[in-house]
Structures are given as structure tokens and as C-alpha cells.
Amino acid sequence: MTAKEDMALPIYFSDNAALRVKTLMEEEEDPETKLRVYVTGGGCSGFQYGFTFDAKVNEGDTLITNSGVTLIIDSMSLQYLVGGTIDYTSGLDGSRFFVDNPNATATCGCGSSFSI
């Protein structure tokens, strides 16, 4: 199985998140940078979201592109994120990438931990 690109998946990679990644790519002068989102066990609600910048695409990864920027999601994490939105916010409380996940039945106060 190879990486799947631009599939019609019900995951939305927001313009705000894509723009922020694009800005970081330009600052770092690294056109291969991609945003990887993943889900791991842990956190106060059972699962937690993680974000990292990655140039490597693994077998089975799903790629979603917005404005020339690529979001990578591994196959295990994908099942927890379907229907969600990957977004970016910046305000008085800081700036961060985040997931708006309709599958989460409970979340913690910081928004990075959830349960299903």
C-alpha cells in the first residue's frame, strides 16, 4: 500500500493551518516540510493529539493538501480524526495547531486530550 493523496476524506485541513505551515516552511527555507498530526494513548482523557513537522512520508500515510501545503496522517490516527478539522489559532492565550474532533465524547481543558 502506498501513500494516498488528496482522498475525498471527511477531514478538513483549514486555510489557517495551511497558511501557518507555509509561513514556517518559508522561514526555515525547507520546501519539504509537512505537518504531521497523530493520536497517541495518554493524556488526562485517554488519547492525545500530537503535531510535528516531518519531511518523510511513510507507507500507508494519508496526505491532504491545502494551498500547496501537505498534512500527513498515519493510518492508525486517521480512524480517530475522520470528520474533524485540523486548524491553527493565535491569540492572547498563545498560538497552536488544534483538532476540532466531532468523534471526541470528552476533552480536557487544554484541548489536546480526548476520549471516544
Side-chain angles (χ1 to χ4, degrees):
M1 182 183 284
T2 60
K4 302 168 199 154
E5 288 195 55
D6 298 320
M7 291 180 56
L9 291 173
I11 298 174
Y12 179 66
F13 181 30
S14 79
D15 293 342
N16 284 340
L19 179 61
R20 182 62 182 148
V21 174
K22 185 176 247 180
T23 300
L24 292 168
M25 288 169 56
E26 291 167 356
E27 288 174 2
E28 295 297 319
E29 297 178 1
D30 185 358
E32 299 302 314
T33 297
K34 298 166 184 60
L35 178 64
R36 180 179 290 277
V37 61
Y38 56 93
V39 174
T40 60
C44 54
S45 295
F47 295 101
Q48 59 188 14
Y49 304 112
F51 294 93
T52 189
F53 292 101
D54 199 347
K56 183 179 178 190
V57 176
N58 300 315
E59 186 173 327
D61 283 347
T62 296
L63 308 178
I64 300 172
T65 304
N66 181 348
S67 303
V69 176
T70 303
L71 174 72
I72 307 171
I73 308 167
D74 66 87
S75 60
M76 184 62 82
S77 299
L78 181 63
Q79 64 185 325
Y80 298 108
L81 299 171
V82 170
T85 298
I86 309 303
D87 207 349
Y88 177 81
T89 187
S90 180
L92 294 175
D93 57 347
S95 50
R96 65 185 174 94
F97 290 98
F98 68 95
V99 178
D100 181 10
N101 189 347
N103 302 308
T105 57
T107 59
C108 67
C110 68
S112 66
S113 180
F114 70 102
S115 64
I116 294 192

